Amino acid sequence: MSPYRLALRTLVLGRPRSVLATLLIAASLCVLDLFAGSIASTRAGIAYQAVIVERMGHLTVLPVAAPGAPRQLRRFSADEAGRVRALLDGMKGIALVVPEVSVSGIAASAERSATFAGLGVPDVAAPGLLQAAPGKLQAGTGNGVAISQAKAAALALRVGSALTLTAAVPDAAPRCVVAQVVDVYAAGAGDEQARSMLMPLALAQDLLDTDSVERFVVFLSDPALLEQQRGALAGALRKAGVQAEVRTWQELSLAYMRARSASDLAFDSIAGMVFAVIAASIAATMSINALERRREVATLRALGMRSHSVFLMLVTEALGMAMMGVAASLVGSGVIAWVINRVSLADGAPHALPGALPVELDVNRMMMAVVAVLAVALMAALVPAFKAARAHVAAGLGP
């Protein structure tokens, strides 16, 4: 009398209570999987927003500040910038390297003036990676700037308008240049203050009266190798004697840090409730099943089955219910996610952030949930199975 075969027979019989418990497990896991998929979708959208729209790239190479030096004054000298650029261009897995300089000051039109926070980038045609990034410069137009819609409205500017830029340079006289608007772009949500103006790198350096570079933004061919590339790049910089640090976009994106903290807390709360429901369901089902089958269990004991075999039989039944619920949830989650994404794309529903589907199933969290459910099912079945295995045979056979 194999306890595993007896457990399988009981599961195949499909008792209503066991079927309902299995369906409850499947439904609970579907909710958890879809919630995790929604979080994965939101994070994918934030990644797109930070890496492409906000031009953070996947990795950023920053100079290490001298002790006591202000953070905002950290820059690579022209010689250091050349060495870093040569090193980056020679590394595998890097699709694009963009030197950048931040500049702020006052922009004045014929009628109005306002502060601006600008970014200097190379004035070459945007490669495929940055086609979706807001703001387009014209190659060869050294004084051409792209300005956000809100800032253009504040200064009454349009494409072709002229404006005077005055940079705020620490410990030096302000520098002024006359620029021309070559593009007016829509800034992303929350990005207006950080990226109100885009200008050629040479123009930003001229405003700051420097030939230095503030940072190098690195776009990877395979973003999945982010940490490996970060380690390899940091090692190469140390070997070359360059005092620099490598930061990931997650570390630099405040929106990502806030969203990750909030989503992790929400997921942990939902997961806790789901696992509590599953544990209570399995414990209640196994307790009632063991009570109703006490005569059956006593008969098996009378025929020679040992108590540990009874224990294994009931525990196997609980794990079997959990595994069937897991299998049903995986199929159900996949089908529901496909339907949601299909309907969303067909209707043209707007997404919270570009670059992400409404639901992108998180396989890692789904597999972690599977392991957790099996562990919860095992623990929930221990007490009912132990009580059934220790029950007196004569009492079970009695009326």
Side-chain angles (χ1 to χ4, degrees):
M1 290 181 292
S2 170
Y4 307 109
R5 294 180 61 182
L6 291 172
L8 180 60
R9 177 189 65 84
T10 303
L11 292 173
V12 171
L13 289 176
R15 297 175 182 270
R17 187 179 297 108
S18 299
V19 173
L20 288 176
T22 300
L23 292 177
L24 181 59
I25 293 172
S28 300
L29 281 178
C30 276
V31 171
L32 187 62
D33 291 342
L34 294 174
F35 186 72
S38 177
I39 291 176
S41 174
T42 301
R43 289 187 178 181
I46 293 175
Y48 180 89
Q49 176 81 16
V51 174
I52 302 300
V53 177
E54 297 180 18
R55 298 174 181 265
M56 287 186 180
H58 299 104
L59 296 172
T60 300
V61 181
L62 296 165
V64 175
R71 183 181 181 86
Q72 63 271 20
L73 296 182
R74 297 190 307 176
R75 295 194 186 99
F76 290 111
S77 66
D79 178 63
E80 289 176 325
R83 291 164 58 195
V84 173
R85 183 60 187 265
L87 187 150
L88 293 174
D89 288 340
M91 291 194 66
K92 295 181 180 179
I94 294 179
L96 179 65
V97 178
V98 180
E100 293 182 351
V101 172
S102 297
V103 57
S104 59
I106 298 176
S109 63
E111 303 173 355
R112 307 172 186 175
S113 63
T115 60
F116 73 92
L119 180 67
V121 297
D123 58 339
V124 297
L129 282 172
L130 294 176
Q131 282 297 327
K136 300 294 186 293
L137 301 177
Q138 289 183 0
T141 306
N143 67 335
V145 300
I147 189 169
S148 67
Q149 290 178 347
K151 194 64 66 174
L155 294 171
L157 297 174
R158 61 180 183 273
V159 174
S161 299
L163 71 160
T164 302
L165 301 179
T166 304
V169 183
D171 302 325
R175 295 180 63 84
C176 300
V177 298
V178 177
Q180 181 182 4
V181 178
V182 297
D183 184 34
V184 177
Y185 62 90
D191 191 41
E192 174 60 28
Q193 280 301 112
R195 296 289 180 265
S196 59
M197 189 177 296
L198 198 68
M199 65 183 66
L201 179 64
L203 178 60
Q205 291 175 328
D206 185 29
L207 279 169
L208 296 173
D209 191 22
T210 183
D211 57 358
S212 60
V213 173
E214 184 177 344
R215 58 184 170 269
F216 286 90
V217 173
V218 178
F219 295 84
L220 302 179
S221 302
D222 185 1
L225 302 178
L226 181 69
E227 289 300 330
Q228 294 91 318
Q229 289 283 10
R230 178 187 188 179
L233 180 54
L237 289 169
R238 286 195 300 269
K239 186 176 181 180
V242 179
Q243 299 296 318
E245 59 179 337
V246 183
R247 307 284 293 276
T248 65
W249 69 268
Q250 294 100 324
E251 296 171 341
L252 297 175
S253 175
L254 296 178
Y256 174 80
M257 298 299 293
R258 290 193 296 265
R260 179 173 181 173
S261 176
S263 62
D264 285 346
L265 178 61
F267 180 81
D268 292 343
S269 301
I270 297 295
M273 290 187 288
V274 166
F275 294 143
V277 169
I278 292 175
S281 175
I282 291 178
T285 301
M286 295 308 301
S287 296
I288 298 175
N289 284 350
L291 181 62
E292 290 181 347
R293 294 164 57 194
R294 64 186 185 279
R295 190 181 297 274
E296 174 190 340
V297 172
T299 301
L300 291 173
R301 291 287 308 280
L303 292 175
M305 177 178 276
R306 297 189 176 184
S307 59
H308 73 272
S309 295
V310 174
F311 178 83
L312 289 176
M313 178 183 69
L314 296 177
V315 168
T316 303
E317 288 181 22
L319 290 176
M321 286 193 300
M323 292 178 67
M324 289 191 296
V326 165
S329 73
L330 294 177
V331 175
S333 298
V335 171
I336 295 173
W338 180 83
V339 170
I340 292 174
N341 293 334
R342 186 87 174 187
V343 171
S344 176
L345 293 176
D347 293 346
H351 301 164
L353 288 172
L357 293 171
V359 178
E360 295 186 1
L361 293 180
D362 191 332
V363 177
N364 291 332
R365 285 192 172 182
M366 290 173 69
M367 293 302 103
M368 291 174 60
V370 168
V371 174
V373 165
L374 295 178
V376 167
L378 176 61
M379 291 186 291
L382 289 179
V383 173
F386 182 77
K387 288 183 177 180
R390 298 292 295 175
H392 200 277
V393 175
L397 293 173

